[in-house]
Amino acid sequence: MKVGILGSGDVGKALAGGFIKHGHQVVLGTRDAGKLKDFVAQHKGAEAKSFADAAKFGDVVVLAVKGTAALDVLKAAGAANLANKPVIDATNPIAAAPPTNGVLKFFTNLDRSLMEQLQAAFPDARFVKAYNSVGNARMINPEFKSGKPTMFICGNDDAAKAKVREINDQFGWETADVGKAEAARAIEPLCMLWCILGFTKNEWTHAFKLLHKE
Ligand SMILES: NC(=O)c1ccc[n+]([C@@H]2O[C@H](COP(=O)([O-])OP(=O)(O)OC[C@H]3O[C@@H](n4cnc5c(N)ncnc54)[C@H](OP(=O)(O)O)[C@@H]3O)[C@@H](O)[C@H]2O)c1
């Protein structure tokens, strides 16, 4: 699979490393390819280019940029380069204001998630929310004593979600598909919940698991 990763931060690099580990080809997109020089040198099969080049390259695109920059980055990537492709949206709409008692502030509200805004602005892209509510150190084949953690996903396009389910399988996650794009209103705040333990107890190694009766 050819994967275009929009983002040069810890998440972009963690997911790029995961795709390479599982035999996929990766182009990372950034405004400054120089900052990925070491990463590219250490990861055979990775290249660093512009946001547009990365999006164009990918059969699957990953959005892993600062939430406040997500729309601008997608504009730079180009609507035509995103059209009809699964776009894995790992972003969180974290506001600039600091957390209160460990609770992050968001610039969105519970009736309109960031992913819905992105989907409305780029109607031909097939957004799937995923990888937003676990730390980057545990995104790829994490090991937990209590078994596989759950990746909550949502999005409007079933084929795109099936592709993300395949990726989750490779990356060691079980998938809980919780619905259409509106369900991102619930998935994005899982990041707040995940981070509270970090900010208040300095615990950063957990992940969520959905338990079923049967
Ligand atoms: N850190 C985690 O463990 C974690 C876990 C789950 C989800 N997330 C979410 O994943 C996303 C990425 O997080 P991160 O920690 O990897 O790094 P980040 O610092 O949130 O984002 C870095 C990326 O954002 C881009 N960016 C920042 N400001 C920009 C601007 N004004 N215009 C264009 N691009 C801009 C940078 O572009 P350049 O490459 O051009 O500098 C870079 O690629 C965030 O939305 C975060 O909430 C993070």
Side-chain angles (χ1 to χ4, degrees):
M1 199 162 65
K2 290 182 173 178
V3 186
I5 298 198
L6 310 178
S8 64
D10 290 340
V11 175
K13 288 190 278 195
L15 292 175
F19 281 109
I20 290 165
K21 170 183 165 183
H22 289 284
H24 305 291
Q25 286 173 270
V26 169
V27 171
L28 294 106
T30 171
R31 292 167 297 179
D32 173 12
K35 64 166 80 159
L36 287 166
K37 203 166 141 258
D38 290 347
F39 183 85
V40 167
Q42 288 157 12
H43 293 80
K44 205 167 170 242
E47 288 182 89
K49 294 187 176 181
S50 68
F51 289 126
D53 285 339
K56 194 171 183 176
F57 174 81
D59 301 319
V60 170
V61 176
V62 175
L63 180 64
V65 296
K66 207 170 165 191
T68 48
L71 269 172
D72 284 345
V73 167
L74 291 175
K75 277 183 206 154
N81 293 328
L82 301 167
N84 302 317
K85 297 179 181 176
V87 179
I88 299 176
D89 173 20
T91 64
N92 286 307
I94 298 172
T100 306
N101 289 329
V103 182
L104 283 167
K105 291 201 166 57
F106 273 16
F107 60 77
T108 48
N109 66 55
L110 286 174
D111 295 321
R112 186 78 165 161
S113 62
L114 177 57
M115 194 181 81
E116 289 171 272
Q117 294 175 26
L118 304 179
Q119 184 64 80
F122 294 87
D124 295 333
R126 300 174 179 187
F127 287 92
V128 180
K129 195 89 213 173
Y131 294 92
N132 71 301
S133 40
V134 63
N136 64 82
R138 284 180 176 66
M139 288 182 172
I140 308 302
N141 304 108
E143 287 189 13
F144 291 100
K145 278 187 193 145
S146 37
K148 272 191 189 183
T150 305
M151 185 62 67
F152 292 90
I153 71 166
C154 69
N156 291 339
D157 188 87
D158 287 340
K161 286 193 286 191
K163 179 56 76 182
V164 175
R165 191 180 279 272
E166 267 176 44
I167 293 164
N168 293 344
D169 289 346
Q170 286 197 331
F171 287 3
W173 292 80
E174 62 180 27
T175 299
D177 177 354
V178 295
K180 302 286 185 190
E182 292 77 11
R185 297 173 198 177
I187 298 179
E188 288 173 2
L190 289 179
C191 149
M192 297 169 86
L193 183 59
W194 190 90
C195 286
I196 289 171
L197 291 174
F199 290 134
T200 62
K201 297 186 180 352
N202 203 25
E203 287 174 16
W204 302 97
T205 58
H206 46 283
F208 296 117
K209 184 164 182 70
L210 187 64
L211 300 176
H212 300 271
K213 191 170 172 219
E214 282 156 20

